[in-house]
Amino acid sequence: MTGFDEREPEAAELVRPYVITKGRGLPDEEQLSLITLVTAASDDRQRPTRLSPEEQSLLELCTAGYLSVAEIAGHTRLPMGVVKILLSALTEGGYLITRPPVQRARLADRQILEEVLNGLRTKFG
């Protein structure tokens, strides 16, 4: 049996999401969806010291390359809404670059596929 004092809660459990996000609201789903790709801006300017610890960790995480919003939330173990709000703020500040996901390819026309198949059959038997 473990006592209450033996386990210390993590810092993320102690701080309310409203405090972490500074009361900002969620961005539009079109702006940041779960599969939007995010990376750090390539500016060599000095990183500001006014960023919160959560914003600093998001910025550090995004310096490795493109990650989806869902992957970032998984790495940080913060709620998805909080991650979206912080990423939106960092993007507006010019510290992050977002790229919308690649749109689904259009389905091929059945007639074209049949013509290709018929052409292959006539050429190769």
Side-chain angles (χ1 to χ4, degrees):
M1 188 166 153
T2 60
F4 179 76
D5 294 333
E6 291 179 18
R7 184 180 160 251
E8 291 184 28
E10 294 182 22
E13 295 174 359
L14 296 173
V15 181
R16 299 255 184 220
Y18 183 82
V19 174
I20 295 172
T21 61
K22 299 175 185 167
R24 294 178 287 224
L26 281 169
D28 293 338
E29 184 66 24
E30 294 172 1
Q31 182 184 3
L32 280 176
S33 70
L34 292 176
I35 55 176
T36 299
L37 299 175
V38 182
T39 190
S42 60
D43 287 347
D44 292 333
R45 62 182 174 180
Q46 186 73 10
R47 289 204 178 133
T49 56
R50 292 187 176 189
L51 294 178
S52 68
E54 293 82 13
E55 290 172 325
Q56 287 283 357
S57 67
L58 286 177
L59 197 54
E60 285 296 320
L61 186 62
C62 292
T63 57
Y66 279 100
L67 291 172
S68 70
V69 173
E71 289 173 319
I72 294 169
H75 286 299
T76 60
R77 296 184 180 168
L78 291 171
M80 181 61 68
V82 171
V83 171
K84 283 185 173 184
I85 292 169
L86 294 177
L87 289 175
S88 176
L90 289 169
T91 302
E92 289 172 4
Y95 303 110
L96 294 178
I97 298 170
T98 60
R99 189 178 84 190
V102 176
Q103 294 183 1
R104 280 190 144 170
R106 202 172 49 119
L107 292 177
D109 186 21
R110 183 180 176 102
Q111 182 181 357
I112 293 174
L113 292 176
E114 287 177 0
E115 289 176 15
V116 169
L117 181 61
N118 292 335
L120 290 172
R121 282 184 182 154
T122 57
K123 177 142 181 120
F124 298 108

